[in-house]
Amino acid sequence: MQKIIEQLINGLTVGSFYALIALGYTMVYGVLSMINFAHGDIFMVGAYFGCFTITQLSKSGFAESNPALAIIYTFAAGALGAALTGVTVERLAYRPLRKASRLSTLISAIGTSIFLEEFVRLVPKFGSMISSIHFGEQYIFPASWRSAIVKVTQTFGGAMVKAYPGILGTEGIKLGGVSISYSRILIMAVAIVFMVLLYLLVRFTKLGKAMRAVSEDKETASLMGINVNRIISSTFFIGSALAGIAGVMMGIFYLQIRTTMGFTPGIKAFTAAVVGGIGNIPGAMLGGYLLGLAEVISVQFLPAVYKDIVAFAILIVMLIVKPTGILGGSGGKNKL
Amino acid sequence: MAPLLQVNGIKTYYGNICALKGVTFEVNAGEIVCLIGSNGAGKTTTLKSITGLLHPQEGSIFFNNEEITLLDAHRIVEKGISMVPEGRHVFSKLTTLENLEMGAFTRKDRTAIQQDIENVFQLFPRLKERAKQSAGTLSGGEQQMLAIARALMAKPKLLLLDEPSMGLAPILLESIFDNIKEINAQGTTVLLVEQNTKLALAIADRGYVLQTGLVSLSGMSKELRESEMVQKTYLGVA
């Protein structure tokens, strides 16, 4: 019994990652009817921004004296870094192709995905390149700037696996024999808070209503005076911020990050979005948790290496049986 | 006094296809003006060029003495033009009330918006009963009312209506056209595009006949009703 509950909590933790990332897929699909295949890498970028921040805060001793604030700053940095990346990607890689065929946008998304991975990997190289720009004997930056650039870029990215300083450790609380680590509690709580916030935003604010209007009919939305491009940027901002938060969570949970970390969670979250009904916000949340639970349940019966197979088998079955997803409408007309 | 809306020789293309070949007309403040013509004459293209959904390649459009030819659609709404699109295009997943709020998107005056919601509910009492319902569940006539009410929420100086009669039961037609007259009487200038020529000429002060991308005839409604060409082509009088 204890073991089952612990596994369920495990599933909800993993489900929180999937749900948060799936929201970005579903929101972008809702407004643009495109799958943002670079979304997993935006998640990764968020994890790196968070890692940079928490590393700095740990080095200075701030994280030890103010752990709560340090965690908030880390999440904020991850969310903001990912959000700005997402908005930039939309502006540069998708908007120019808005009227092009779907295939062009898809290829642009795949290209962006590779670009982001390689960019983060090569950041330290860019750092040393920039810091060593010189004319003859004269460097264009003073020595102190040059070492700062090298240091910052090396802390930020690179080909090596980066360790997340463990702020929460492995401790936790025990409830009737079931132990739950603080990091799991934090992850589930943060995920739920942001999902509720997103729901309220989409349902009740002017921005949320405008997002739904744009998702349904861009031309008519612009006739209302809605700046459609700005709403699309906002959608990317919010969806990417949620992915960034998930990235930080994953760092806190697994204590290490790498540039390729976005691939598998990205595809799993895409599966979650499809299972829930792509374009549907509650569907993405539901799909995320269902997928997380399905994975831990499968581990009970099958060797752990089969859990990816289970996830993608669910995707395939879903696409055959009900392609519009659990909460999706008919005919692929899902709207936010 | 300069006209409220002045359209000077606009040429609008879809790709290489020239849909408007130099359309010129004007709308004075307070008028109801109608554009009539058959399918493909360029009526909707004309409205889309005015609202910024399409941009003419030649010619110019002035509204309130200000050039708006190349402004984006969402900027033109701020200037005081709103449009009821052909086929209504209400946001079906949003409630009636949310649709009206979207109509007031460019406005910041919350209390005045509340007041205007009450005003449009007075004009269309049916919408008040449906306020919390999602717009997709409304009947065709109710959706048309909602589309008009939504456009009014922007407090436009000029209201463009694209085929408001389309798909409506005859019994609803008259009441919708009465509503349009009332809106005009309350001070909103109206530019009406309509295939139902008889109805359009009945409420309009003046009219323009569009044929294959050009204005072929214009005049007071009475003159147009009596013109042989209009009678033959659009009113079905032998």
Side-chain angles (χ1 to χ4, degrees):
Chain A
M1 188 62 202
Q2 281 170 21
K3 204 174 162 212
I4 293 174
I5 294 174
E6 274 174 19
Q7 283 303 327
L8 285 181
I9 288 168
N10 204 359
L12 292 177
T13 314
V14 182
S16 298
F17 301 141
Y18 295 157
L20 281 181
I21 308 172
L23 284 168
Y25 278 110
T26 235
M27 289 170 71
V28 166
Y29 187 87
V31 295
L32 285 182
S33 300
M34 70 162 279
I35 305 291
N36 177 12
F37 273 114
H39 192 60
D41 298 285
I42 288 168
F43 153 82
M44 175 274 293
V45 169
Y48 271 79
F49 271 98
C51 183
F52 178 78
T53 309
I54 191 74
T55 307
Q56 297 302 324
L57 294 175
S58 308
K59 265 191 208 153
S60 66
F62 182 86
E64 225 168 308
S65 49
N66 295 295
L69 276 180
I71 288 173
I72 291 173
Y73 295 155
T74 305
F75 274 112
L80 200 64
L84 295 178
T85 309
V87 169
T88 313
V89 164
E90 188 272 329
R91 187 71 192 81
L92 298 181
Y94 302 153
R95 193 178 299 178
L97 296 171
R98 185 99 39 90
K99 294 204 169 88
S101 78
R102 281 173 179 230
L103 191 60
S104 314
T105 330
L106 180 69
I107 291 167
S108 183
I110 294 170
T112 305
S113 160
I114 297 169
F115 173 86
L116 289 176
E117 256 173 56
E118 292 301 300
F119 186 83
V120 173
R121 187 172 71 84
L122 294 171
V123 158
K125 290 241 164 65
F126 294 135
S128 55
M129 268 164 59
I130 292 168
S131 68
S132 60
I133 300 172
H134 57 91
F135 295 110
E137 293 292 289
Q138 186 61 48
Y139 286 105
I140 63 166
F141 295 120
S144 58
W145 290 21
R146 287 172 48 214
S147 64
I149 291 171
V150 170
K151 221 169 161 187
V152 164
T153 50
Q154 272 175 357
T155 322
F156 185 88
M160 307 292 281
V161 171
K162 291 231 167 269
Y164 242 77
I167 8 173
L168 294 167
T170 49
E171 292 142 56
I173 49 168
K174 271 201 175 281
L175 280 176
V178 180
S179 64
I180 312 171
S181 70
Y182 287 134
S183 60
R184 283 173 206 272
I185 295 172
L186 177 78
I187 285 166
M188 288 187 279
V190 170
I192 286 168
V193 165
F194 277 98
M195 283 190 252
V196 170
L197 284 179
L198 178 72
Y199 178 80
L200 296 176
L201 176 117
V202 171
R203 193 99 205 92
F204 296 113
T205 66
K206 195 171 174 182
L207 173 65
K209 289 171 196 171
M211 280 165 61
R212 284 187 280 146
V214 168
S215 134
E216 206 172 311
D217 187 340
K218 287 185 199 46
E219 195 166 271
T220 308
S222 71
L223 285 178
M224 303 294 113
I226 296 172
N227 183 342
V228 172
N229 279 330
R230 194 185 299 165
I231 298 296
I232 290 172
S233 289
S234 310
T235 308
F236 270 85
F237 188 95
I238 296 167
S240 304
L242 294 173
I245 288 167
V248 171
M249 286 178 172
M250 202 160 249
I252 289 176
F253 191 61
Y254 292 110
L255 300 174
Q256 57 175 30
I257 58 173
R258 62 188 80 214
T259 56
T260 52
M261 68 184 277
F263 183 73
T264 309
I267 292 199
K268 293 262 186 74
F270 168 66
T271 303
V274 171
V275 167
I278 190 129
N280 182 302
I281 285 177
M285 302 177 188
L286 178 69
Y289 284 109
L290 282 181
L291 198 68
L293 290 172
E295 278 192 12
V296 297
I297 291 168
S298 78
V299 173
Q300 297 300 305
F301 303 104
L302 296 167
V305 286
Y306 285 96
K307 72 176 204 267
D308 291 354
I309 294 183
V310 170
F312 297 127
I314 291 174
L315 174 64
I316 292 168
V317 170
M318 201 68 199
L319 285 174
I320 294 170
V321 178
K322 193 164 188 302
T324 52
I326 298 171
L327 298 184
S330 56
K333 279 190 280 184
N334 287 340
K335 294 299 165 204
L336 292 178
Chain B
M1 207 179 81
L4 183 64
L5 176 77
Q6 193 158 16
V7 176
N8 304 316
I10 55 168
K11 294 189 180 173
T12 304
Y13 291 76
Y14 291 103
N16 289 326
I17 300 157
C18 182
L20 300 183
K21 299 169 183 162
V23 170
T24 301
F25 67 94
E26 58 190 44
V27 180
N28 296 307
E31 282 186 313
I32 299 183
V33 172
C34 67
L35 296 180
I36 53 185
S38 48
N39 272 334
K43 305 185 301 287
T44 298
T45 310
T46 306
L47 291 193
K48 285 190 170 180
S49 305
I50 296 170
T51 53
L53 291 177
L54 295 169
H55 291 304
Q57 291 193 354
E58 282 175 52
S60 62
I61 304 169
F62 282 84
F63 180 70
N64 237 348
N65 298 319
E66 196 181 340
E67 176 152 16
I68 58 164
T69 320
L70 295 175
L71 285 185
D72 286 332
H74 64 92
R75 299 287 318 283
I76 287 176
V77 182
E78 291 166 18
K79 303 279 175 203
I81 301 182
S82 53
M83 170 154 136
V84 181
E86 181 180 357
R88 310 184 270 268
H89 286 271
V90 294
F91 300 115
S92 60
K93 297 283 168 99
L94 273 61
T95 65
T96 299
L97 200 58
E98 287 172 337
N99 267 277
L100 294 176
E101 287 167 10
M102 285 298 104
F105 189 82
T106 52
R107 297 170 56 190
K108 307 253 180 306
D109 42 347
R110 281 183 167 224
T111 46
I113 291 173
Q114 276 310 317
Q115 183 56 48
D116 282 339
I117 289 179
E118 285 309 313
N119 291 346
V120 297
F121 279 158
Q122 232 160 41
L123 192 62
F124 302 107
R126 286 284 279 284
L127 294 182
K128 187 164 192 171
E129 298 164 28
R130 306 266 186 267
K132 295 258 184 286
Q133 249 171 275
S134 68
T137 64
L138 269 52
S139 75
E142 288 163 349
Q143 288 189 9
Q144 186 65 61
M145 292 175 199
L146 177 55
I148 296 174
R150 184 180 63 179
L152 287 176
M153 287 304 297
K155 270 202 173 296
K157 297 188 187 76
L158 174 66
L159 180 67
L160 311 182
L161 290 149
D162 196 354
E163 305 277 3
S165 77
M166 201 170 74
L168 291 190
I171 191 161
L172 273 171
L173 275 184
E174 271 189 51
S175 82
I176 289 276
F177 275 75
D178 284 342
N179 290 139
I180 296 171
K181 268 199 285 192
E182 196 178 330
I183 290 162
N184 178 249
Q186 287 173 8
T188 309
T189 308
V190 174
L191 175 60
L192 172 68
V193 157
E194 193 45 80
Q195 289 211 41
N196 190 330
T197 310
K198 199 176 158 196
L199 265 175
L201 288 177
I203 66 162
D205 302 304
R206 294 190 298 119
Y208 292 85
V209 178
L210 273 181
Q211 271 179 328
T212 58
L214 281 169
V215 173
S216 63
L217 190 67
S218 67
M220 302 305 286
S221 294
K222 187 165 176 288
E223 295 162 20
L224 290 179
R225 264 197 303 270
E226 284 160 6
S227 119
E228 198 179 329
M229 187 272 261
V230 172
Q231 289 199 344
K232 255 195 193 151
T233 323
Y234 304 109
L235 294 173
V237 180

